[in-house]
Amino acid sequence: MLGTIINTCTIVIGATCGSLFGDKISERYKQALFNGLGICCLILGANAALPNMQKSEIPVLFILSIAIGALIGTKLDLEGRIERAAKGHKREVQGLTTGVLLFCIGTFAIVGPVQSALSPSHGWAFNEPANTFLYTNATLDMVGSAVLAASYGRVMLLAAPILFCWQGFFYMVAYHFSAAMPEPMRNELSIVGGVLIVSSGLSMLGIKDCKTVNMLPSLLVPVIFYVVKGLL
């Protein structure tokens, strides 16, 4: 759990620095950072999805997950509801969504808390090898949150508690019900998450607004599938 706490703190530090010094960066350089981060989203998303596709038990599950999740999200109009709740701040919502996907989806963010929970010290030892994933993730997230906050502002601070709850969920499930989080489920989550990160990157680069928020329910499909499979 120590790794998750450190990871959360680095996002707060990065987002704070980015929002404080963002006003001192001209729009020209902000756009350059924005474009660079969009390209990074494409690379990171592909890196999260492609290696896990090779380990997938059901290669078509991620396709079904994206399709079902997109239909549910569109029916519920998740993106529209969030934008209306945020009083039309579409750009900030997009930034926060991108940040949450970058910070929460991927091998480090999912496997890290699981390994910490299953380690002898349950992840509370500073030099615990299981925390290596999260320390690496924390470094990446601090840089990413600073760049995002320079463009989107203080809204990126909200990514910190979301990350804490996300990793805390995986930690608690692994701590109490290790069998409930099988490796195939984690693989499928990484694939679907990688696709969503690529979707965010396309939106940031202005190539295609894929309505990524509406596709967020896709992350629930692999979980529901393996829970049902475990009950049969």
Side-chain angles (χ1 to χ4, degrees):
M1 197 63 179
L2 179 63
T4 293
I5 294 173
I6 291 176
N7 199 165
T8 303
C9 291
T10 56
I11 291 178
V12 173
I13 293 171
T16 301
C17 292
S19 59
L20 286 176
F21 297 104
D23 292 339
K24 297 178 174 59
I25 303 175
S26 68
E27 287 301 320
R28 177 186 176 189
Y29 292 113
K30 281 186 181 180
Q31 188 60 49
L33 290 172
F34 198 64
N35 291 338
L37 192 59
I39 295 173
C40 288
C41 283
L42 298 182
I43 300 300
L44 290 172
N47 185 61
L50 295 179
N52 287 289
M53 288 178 68
Q54 300 173 6
K55 298 182 287 185
S56 176
E57 289 184 338
I58 309 172
V60 299
L61 181 57
F62 86 94
I63 300 176
L64 293 174
S65 298
I66 293 294
I68 294 171
L71 289 174
I72 293 174
T74 301
K75 176 65 176 177
L76 297 175
D77 190 24
L78 294 180
E79 185 162 304
R81 289 172 184 268
I82 293 175
E83 286 181 15
R84 288 190 291 273
K87 297 181 180 179
H89 296 291
K90 180 177 181 178
R91 192 168 183 275
E92 287 79 2
V93 171
Q94 181 190 48
L96 181 59
T97 301
T98 300
V100 169
L101 287 171
L102 279 174
F103 304 150
C104 296
I105 303 299
T107 302
F108 291 159
I110 296 175
V111 176
V114 171
Q115 288 191 338
S116 293
L118 300 178
S119 66
S121 68
H122 300 303
W124 286 105
F126 185 80
N127 61 345
E128 176 62 59
N131 280 331
T132 301
F133 278 124
L134 294 176
Y135 295 151
T136 303
N137 200 52
T139 304
L140 296 172
D141 289 351
M142 183 165 64
V143 176
S145 60
V147 173
L148 283 168
S151 297
Y152 293 113
R154 290 176 293 179
V155 69
M156 295 311 305
L157 287 168
L158 295 176
I162 294 174
L163 173 108
F164 181 83
C165 293
W166 173 261
Q167 290 191 1
F169 167 76
F170 283 106
Y171 179 91
M172 295 304 295
V173 169
Y175 182 83
H176 294 288
F177 313 101
S178 57
M181 188 60 66
E183 183 177 354
M185 182 195 294
R186 299 198 298 268
N187 291 338
E188 298 300 333
L189 280 172
S190 293
I191 296 171
V192 175
V195 173
L196 296 182
I197 292 173
V198 170
S199 173
S200 290
L202 293 174
S203 297
M204 292 177 69
L205 292 171
I207 298 174
K208 173 68 175 179
D209 184 1
C210 300
K211 306 290 184 183
T212 306
V213 174
N214 283 343
M215 292 192 285
L216 290 179
S218 303
L219 291 167
L220 295 175
V221 178
V223 176
I224 295 172
F225 175 83
Y226 279 100
V227 168
V228 172
K229 182 181 178 182
L231 295 175
L232 297 178

